[in-house]
Amino acid sequence: MGANLLVLGGTTEASALARALAEREVQATFSYAGRVDTPRPQPIPHRVGGFGGVDGLARYFADHNISHVIDATHPFAAQMSWNAFHACAQGGVPLLALTRPPWAAQSGDRWHHVPDIKGAVAALDGPAERIMLALGRLHMEAFAAQPQHHYILRLVDAPKTPPALPHHTVIVARGPFTVDGDTTLFTEHAIDRVVCKNAGGAGAEAKLHAARALRLPVVMIDRPELPDRDTVATVEGVFDWLSK
Ligand code: 3Y8
Ligand code: NAP
C-alpha cells in the first residue's frame, strides 16, 4: 500500500484507529493540537501542536510525504476539519473523515436544541439553578453572562486561573465517562440542568443516560457546519477506503 497516513486525532475513534494501524503496521502519524497537559499516549508516532493554518498543513503533507489524511477530530473541531479539507484539495491528498453520528433524543429525553455556545448561554436566562457545564474549558467564560447560576465545570486539567464564574465547582476529570459515575455526580451536586455539545460517540454520552434517568433537562448544542468530505463511522470503514 506504501501508505503514509496523517491521523488528526483527539477522540475515542481516533485512538481506536491508531491501535488498528499499529496492529497492521501501517505507517502513520497521530496528531494532537496540544490542548491538554498529558494527552493519551498512542501506539504509533505522534506530533503535538498546530500546523500553521492551511498552508502550514499543506507544507506538512509535502515535507512528510503524507499519502492520505484521516480526519478523526471531534465534530466541534471545525477549524481543523475545514483546514484539512482545503489543504488536501490544495495538495491533491485523499481525505477521509472518521466521525460518529450525532446523538438523537430518545423517549424520556428533555432536550432543548441550540445552534451554538451563544444560544446555550441565552437558554440559561432564568432563575438561579445548578448547571452541569460539560463543555470543557474553552467556552466556559461565555457563561459569565448568566452569573446567577452555580456551574459545575468538568475540565481535563486544573484551570491555571480561577474561572470567571462567580459560583462554580471545578471537577478535574477526563472521559470516557460512565453512566453510574455521571448519575452519582449529578445527584451529589444536585444538578438541575445539563449543557453539552452533540459530540456523538460513546466517550461522552454517559451524561445523557444519567440526565434521562434523573429526568434532567439538557441544553444540546448542535454541531457546527463541517466540510462535505468522504466520511465513515468505523475503523473498518477506514481500511475499506484505504484499500480502494
Ligand atoms: C486534547 C486527548 C481518547 C479520546 C477521549 C470523545 C471522548 C473522552 C468526552 C464531558 C465532556 C469535551 C472535551 C471531551 C470528551 C473523549 C476523548 C473527549 C468532552 C481529550 C484529549 C484532548 C481533549 C481536548 C478537549 C477540549 C474540550 C474537549 C473535554 C486525550 C481528553 C468537553 C468535548 O482544557 C481544554 O482545553 C480542553 C479542550 C477540546 C472542549 C473544550 O472546549 O474545552 N476535549 N480531550 C486533544 C488535542 O490536543 O488534540 O488526552 O485523549 C480527548 C477526549 N475528550 O483517545 O480516549 O471521543 O469525544 N473532551 C465535548 O464532547 O463536549 C468532555 O465532560 O462530559
Ligand atoms: P479547532 O478549534 O478545530 O482547531 C483550532 C486549531 O487547533 C487548528 O486550526 C489547528 O491549528 C489546531 N488543531 C486542532 N486539532 C488539531 C490536531 N488534532 N492536530 C494538530 N493541530 C490541531 O480544534 P479544537 O476544537 O480546539 O480541538 C482541538 C483538539 O481537541 C482536536 O484534536 C480535537 O479532536 C480534540 N477535541 C476537541 C473537542 C471539542 O469539543 N472541540 C472535543 C474532544 C476532543 P493550526 O491552524 O495552527 O494548524
Side-chain angles (χ1 to χ4, degrees):
M1 195 189 313
N4 179 22
L5 310 188
L6 174 65
V7 177
L8 299 174
T11 59
T12 307
E13 290 73 17
S15 296
L17 175 61
R19 286 193 292 276
L21 290 167
E23 278 156 24
R24 302 188 195 202
E25 297 183 343
V26 175
Q27 190 180 358
T29 302
F30 195 95
S31 182
Y32 279 123
R35 277 258 182 274
V36 297
D37 294 347
T38 50
R40 169 193 288 270
Q42 293 296 340
I44 57 176
H46 77 284
R47 62 170 299 289
V48 183
F51 296 96
V54 173
D55 293 343
L57 185 54
R59 205 168 26 255
Y60 181 88
F61 296 160
D63 295 349
H64 294 79
N65 301 313
I66 297 297
S67 62
H68 302 74
V69 175
I70 314 292
D71 178 359
T73 58
H74 188 277
F76 280 72
Q79 183 64 58
M80 186 71 252
S81 291
W82 279 104
N83 285 3
F85 179 72
H86 292 305
C88 286
Q90 204 173 298
V93 179
L95 168 67
L96 177 74
L98 169 59
T99 187
R100 52 272 179 116
W103 294 314
Q106 298 172 23
S107 65
D109 283 343
R110 298 173 59 197
W111 290 10
H112 169 48
H113 287 269
V114 293
D116 49 27
I117 294 281
K118 195 160 156 284
V121 173
L124 298 186
D125 215 0
E129 289 183 335
R130 297 178 61 80
I131 309 268
M132 174 75 196
L133 210 46
L135 301 176
R137 177 178 60 89
L138 298 186
H139 302 289
M140 66 185 170
E141 308 295 338
F143 292 84
Q146 302 282 10
Q148 70 275 26
H149 301 303
H150 184 103
Y151 292 102
I152 288 78
L153 308 167
R154 180 153 59 186
L155 305 175
V156 177
D157 298 317
K160 311 275 188 288
T161 53
L165 300 169
H167 318 290
H168 67 269
T169 305
V170 172
I171 293 162
V172 179
R174 77 167 59 200
F177 302 104
T178 64
V179 179
D180 284 351
D182 279 1
T183 307
T184 304
L185 181 77
F186 292 178
T187 308
E188 280 180 355
H189 290 273
I191 299 295
D192 297 309
R193 193 180 305 271
V194 179
V195 181
C196 69
K197 298 177 198 158
N198 197 332
E205 75 174 331
K207 56 183 170 283
L208 302 182
H209 296 282
R212 188 178 305 128
L214 297 169
R215 297 205 42 67
L216 296 179
V218 174
V219 176
M220 180 62 72
I221 304 172
D222 292 334
R223 293 181 172 187
E225 194 200 346
L226 294 170
D228 179 15
R229 64 262 158 104
D230 285 352
T231 298
V232 294
T234 64
V235 167
E236 272 323 298
V238 174
F239 290 100
D240 293 346
W241 180 79
L242 285 172
S243 63
K244 260 190 242 165

